Amino acid sequence: MSIEENFNRAFNLPDSLRGKNIVSEKIIPTVCSVKIMLDKLREKAGEYANLEQWEKRSYKNYNIEEIKNQLILADEEERIGLLRKHILENDFSYLGASPFDIYIVAYVAENIGPGKTTFINFCFDNGMAGTENSANAIYQVGKGDGIYLKLLNKDGTVKDWNFFRQWIRINEEEPQTVEEEAKIKIYNKLVRDYIPEIIMKSGKNCIVSKANNEEKFSKLKNKLTEEVQEFMEAENLEELADVMEVLFALANSLGYSEDDLMSMRAKKREARGGFEEGIILEKVYEK
């Protein structure tokens, strides 16, 4: 798993999305992918009446009417971006089954296992589809639309964890009780790249964000103060290594490599020496 994937994931997919619970929903399958529908819509100059019935169902599921004119004028990448934004900005009182199919495919692939057979069995076990054809239609449309929108990998697992994090968080409720609030620890500090994955493997969830360059540099300076203080208290090699890691990261933020930093250290050492002798400069005065 890459560092970017570690950053993006940091949570498990819950069994509900914006008030819709996966296992309690009877899904009406759609047999038309969003890409086919959008291509046909452009071909028909945006005329909904000229779409086939299965294309109209996809149109309604994504509530295309709200962004139809933008989609018709957009190129392929732009319309993918428009549709992704549209999904995040709307709940399921406006959206139909197709976007939810994407989430169900991701949920099953990530929490149970990827593959059509696993998905169909899940649908049967939870009463989501009455026939194998219905379950297969949900899988094919959900996976196909998810791949087209760059949300899913080819096996149905999540490709864009950051999108799913936003999709889920928008509808999260704030803690309602003191006990619930007590379970949440607020850090708001820079951490090492693998920390979110380590937290997730421990059975907990976390919310992360990614700093821009300016914020990262500021957070690194704060981190340096934190790590130096921890070394002052512990006086051990581990804390000293943490200080060095922050120094390398600061150098990188300034556009320098670890070798650049070590080279500058060597030059200064050669010109002015190190600190091995323990020399204390007490006073300087004119001769």
Side-chain angles (χ1 to χ4, degrees):
M1 184 177 287
S2 69
I3 291 175
E4 188 68 20
E5 288 171 329
N6 287 334
F7 157 71
N8 277 334
R9 185 163 184 165
F11 63 92
N12 294 315
L13 295 181
D15 61 6
S16 63
L17 177 66
R18 303 193 182 190
K20 285 177 73 73
N21 190 288
I22 288 175
V23 297
S24 65
E25 292 288 337
K26 186 77 172 181
I27 308 299
I28 300 175
T30 304
V31 295
C32 179
S33 72
V34 67
K35 184 181 187 307
I36 290 175
M37 179 271 294
L38 289 174
D39 288 343
K40 187 66 169 292
L41 187 67
R42 178 177 290 169
E43 178 187 325
K44 300 298 181 180
E47 291 295 330
Y48 171 79
N50 292 332
L51 298 179
E52 301 292 345
Q53 287 302 316
W54 54 87
E55 294 163 346
K56 288 180 178 179
R57 182 175 292 176
S58 177
Y59 182 100
K60 290 180 178 179
N61 280 338
Y62 283 99
N63 194 18
I64 295 299
E65 189 65 30
E66 284 193 0
I67 55 172
K68 179 176 70 175
N69 293 335
Q70 295 170 272
L71 288 170
I72 292 173
L73 296 174
D75 62 28
E76 189 75 2
E77 287 301 312
E78 288 172 339
R79 74 178 187 178
I80 289 173
L82 284 168
L83 201 50
R84 285 164 56 105
K85 182 173 182 288
H86 183 63
I87 292 171
L88 289 178
E89 290 177 347
N90 288 277
D91 59 32
F92 288 105
S93 61
Y94 294 95
L95 301 175
S98 295
F100 196 53
D101 290 349
I102 296 173
Y103 187 81
I104 298 171
V105 170
Y107 174 86
V108 175
E110 291 292 342
N111 293 325
I112 301 173
K116 182 170 69 174
T117 301
T118 302
F119 184 86
I120 290 174
N121 289 337
F122 178 85
C123 288
F124 283 157
D125 292 344
N126 292 280
M128 296 165 59
T131 67
E132 183 174 339
N133 286 340
S134 294
N136 183 56
I138 296 169
Y139 178 74
Q140 295 299 338
V141 170
K143 189 180 76 164
D145 286 3
I147 292 171
Y148 172 68
L149 294 173
K150 301 182 180 180
L151 303 178
L152 303 182
N153 297 307
K154 290 182 178 180
D155 63 354
T157 56
V158 174
K159 179 177 184 178
D160 189 343
W161 280 101
N162 191 44
F163 180 94
F164 275 79
R165 177 163 55 87
Q166 294 177 68
W167 205 3
I168 294 164
R169 283 179 63 190
I170 287 175
N171 200 52
E172 284 184 342
E173 296 181 355
E174 294 296 322
Q176 298 296 309
T177 66
V178 173
E179 290 77 11
E180 287 175 321
E181 290 181 350
K183 294 178 181 178
I184 299 176
K185 291 184 178 180
I186 307 298
Y187 289 95
N188 193 30
K189 69 176 185 178
L190 192 69
V191 296
R192 288 178 179 263
D193 296 328
Y194 299 153
I195 293 300
E197 182 184 7
I198 292 170
I199 291 172
M200 188 177 64
K201 286 182 177 179
S202 74
K204 299 178 181 179
N205 285 334
C206 62
I207 294 174
V208 298
S209 60
K210 196 167 186 179
N212 59 33
N213 290 337
E214 183 179 350
E215 184 184 9
K216 179 183 174 183
F217 188 69
S218 176
K219 293 288 187 183
L220 279 169
K221 290 192 290 184
N222 293 339
K223 193 70 175 178
L224 181 60
T225 301
E226 175 190 333
E227 297 297 354
V228 168
Q229 183 60 42
E230 289 181 2
F231 170 74
M232 297 290 285
E233 295 173 0
E235 296 184 354
N236 61 34
L237 187 62
E238 182 179 352
E239 297 300 340
L240 202 55
D242 287 340
V243 173
M244 182 175 289
E245 192 66 46
V246 178
L247 291 175
F248 285 145
L250 280 166
N252 181 263
S253 290
L254 292 171
Y256 301 108
S257 67
E258 293 181 17
D259 288 342
D260 291 333
L261 182 59
M262 298 305 290
S263 177
M264 179 58 69
R265 170 184 176 266
K267 288 179 181 178
K268 296 198 71 172
R269 182 182 179 87
E270 182 178 357
R272 300 191 175 195
F275 297 97
E276 287 84 0
E277 300 297 329
I279 296 172
I280 307 298
L281 180 63
E282 296 183 357
K283 294 180 181 179
V284 175
Y285 55 91
E286 299 292 337
K287 292 183 179 179

